[in-house]
Amino acid sequence: MQSWLDGLESHNGPKYQAIADAIDHAIRTGALRPGERLPPQRALAAELAVDLTTVTRAYGLVRDAGLIEGSGRLGSFVRNAASLPAADLIGDPGMIMPPQPGFARLGDALREGMARLLHAGGQSPLLQYQPRGGAARDRQEAARALAARGMATREDQVIVTAGGQHALHAIIGSLFAPGDIICAGRSTYPGLIALARRFRLILRALPGDRDGLDPDAVQSAALAGAKAVYVVPTNDNPTTATLDIERRLWLAAIARRHGLILIEDDAYGQLPEKPLPPLAAFAPEISWHIASLSKIISPVLRVAHVRAPTAEAARLLADDLHETSVMAPPLNAALATYWLREGIFAELVAGVRSEGVARQRRIAPLLAGLDHASHPEGYHLWLRLPADAPAPADLAARLGPLGLSIVAGERFTVEPGAPERAIRISIGGVIGHERLSRAFEGLRALLHA
């Protein structure tokens, strides 16, 4: 038997999935090299004593994942990663993507969940337009999940959106007028910067430290006319700062005192094994809480649950969302509901968390002595560059072919002037451990050239 198929019998799940996982692992660890020919399907089926369709299905899964390609009668070959565009390796280089904890788990959850949801066939209400704001079953389950995190939430306060950015677009577009001031950290999520530009709002950069925004600075901004504060409270993008419990209480108290709108983009809040209470738990009547699945499970779903301060505010936001996209993808929203109800959601988040921790441990020795920050259970880094380091754009161009996603600090700068000389690095996505190590070895070499 091929050496990379050792241990196939111990795999839990369908045989075709076990074979696909073995091929995936062999490619990512180097046991199967780029350009190497895979065994002919009939020969492998005979060797494993399985049906030809089992092997064909396994090869199809790996081919769909972009790891192998066919050459007609010549058979299937490991795809040459060096010939792929960088985008095929890391997706959109401007986005942080969750690490894939394994070839099978997310795919299995998607296939099994979709099959169960579509069991009713053509009579399924999931194949029809949904009510504004989302189907009742999805809002009910989301309300339970949000309440379990410390935010008292009713079904009529929840809106289901097509991802976090969709939610943020609707909140910004419906609550603010040109010239309104929103305060955020000096380096913040580019999606907010783009929306502020689009709606002609003023973004006010506030100071902070490695623990996040300075609440006193938020108070000063409120006294100077700010209408809202935008915050990613856990594992901030890009700085990775996390507000501790005292600072969350302090910030919530200041916002309530001055009537600030709290926009809580809690993209990573559910990732830690022991998560901190959201800001909305301390100031529910002024908070818009966005809980997206993109960063804690996968961006493929395009689903987020939004908790509005009131039922009336939720209804108005649902109307705005309907004008821009009609609805979130019904099947995906229902899948998230099914996962929440059955406990699969927590399993998938735990898988992403575990893989993020493993990757951080892998690269920790290569980060020694570098000025960087990260969340211990996250999968992106904020690296401040030494004065003699290459320009961030050069680093991104030279390390992109290795599958490393690097974004220059200037992309996150709220106010023009002197952007922080830093880069945000994502260690998520499909990059394997060996390749990740090589990429960071290359980064370290460039920084010390």
Side-chain angles (χ1 to χ4, degrees), residues 400-425:
L402 292 176
L404 198 60
S405 172
I406 295 178
V407 180
E410 62 188 28
R411 282 277 304 277
F412 308 95
T413 302
V414 168
E415 294 181 354
E420 187 167 3
R421 189 171 165 78
I423 55 176
R424 189 200 69 193
I425 306 174

Side-chain angles (χ1 to χ4, degrees), residues 70-94:
S71 292
R73 293 185 178 181
L74 293 177
S76 297
F77 294 81
V78 177
R79 201 167 180 184
N80 185 0
S83 67
L84 292 175
D88 281 355
L89 297 173
I90 59 175
D92 184 342

Side-chain angles (χ1 to χ4, degrees), residues 49-298:
V50 298
D51 293 337
L52 174 61
T53 54
T54 298
V55 176
T56 299
R57 191 172 182 183
Y59 276 37
L61 284 177
V62 188
R63 185 177 296 109
D64 290 345
L67 298 177
I68 67 173
E69 55 190 350
S71 292
R73 293 185 178 181
L74 293 177
S76 297
F77 294 81
V78 177
R79 201 167 180 184
N80 185 0
S83 67
L84 292 175
D88 281 355
L89 297 173
I90 59 175
D92 184 342
M95 305 298 286
I96 301 173
M97 288 185 283
Q100 293 186 11
F103 188 88
R105 187 63 189 109
L106 178 59
D108 282 349
L110 287 165
R111 283 188 294 272
E112 293 166 7
M114 286 294 184
R116 182 178 290 268
L117 292 173
L118 291 173
H119 184 69
Q123 301 304 312
S124 173
L126 299 177
L127 303 182
Q128 309 300 324
Y129 284 105
Q130 303 297 294
R132 295 191 181 197
R137 61 185 175 277
D138 298 329
R139 291 185 285 110
Q140 289 166 0
E141 195 62 43
R144 279 192 284 269
L146 291 166
R149 298 183 59 212
M151 296 169 281
T153 306
R154 300 186 310 274
E155 171 194 334
D156 59 7
Q157 289 178 270
V158 177
I159 311 100
V160 183
T161 71
Q165 182 66 15
H166 183 214
L168 190 58
H169 183 283
I171 292 169
I172 296 294
S174 61
L175 297 184
F176 301 95
D180 282 346
I181 300 172
I182 300 177
C183 47
R186 286 174 173 161
S187 295
T188 196
Y189 171 50
L192 174 70
I193 297 173
L195 288 172
R197 187 181 304 118
R198 179 183 186 86
F199 289 103
R200 291 180 290 152
L201 307 177
I202 299 170
L203 271 188
R204 184 69 44 79
L206 300 184
D209 53 29
R210 288 181 180 266
D211 294 320
L213 278 178
D214 178 358
D216 282 340
V218 174
Q219 177 162 275
S220 297
L223 293 171
K227 186 174 181 179
V229 57
Y230 169 87
V231 61
V232 181
T234 298
N235 196 16
D236 176 56
N237 177 20
T239 68
T240 79
T242 294
L243 297 169
D244 61 23
I245 190 70
E246 290 79 14
R247 199 171 291 205
R248 291 176 191 232
L249 287 165
W250 188 6
L251 181 56
I254 287 172
R256 297 178 85 171
R257 184 183 309 136
H258 296 283
L260 283 175
I261 297 170
L262 269 174
I263 303 174
E264 184 176 26
D265 194 349
D266 204 22
Y268 304 92
Q270 299 177 73
L271 196 55
E273 188 172 6
K274 296 179 179 179
L276 292 170
L279 287 167
F282 306 124
E285 76 283 4
I286 58 170
S287 297
W288 290 85
H289 179 90
I290 305 171
S292 169
L293 276 65
S294 294
K295 299 299 190 291
I296 58 173
I297 294 180
S298 172

Side-chain angles (χ1 to χ4, degrees), residues 24-45:
D24 170 80
H25 184 262
I27 292 172
R28 298 190 189 282
T29 59
L32 284 173
R33 308 296 296 176
E36 188 170 344
R37 185 174 185 265
L38 294 177
Q41 294 182 28
R42 289 185 182 278
L44 186 59

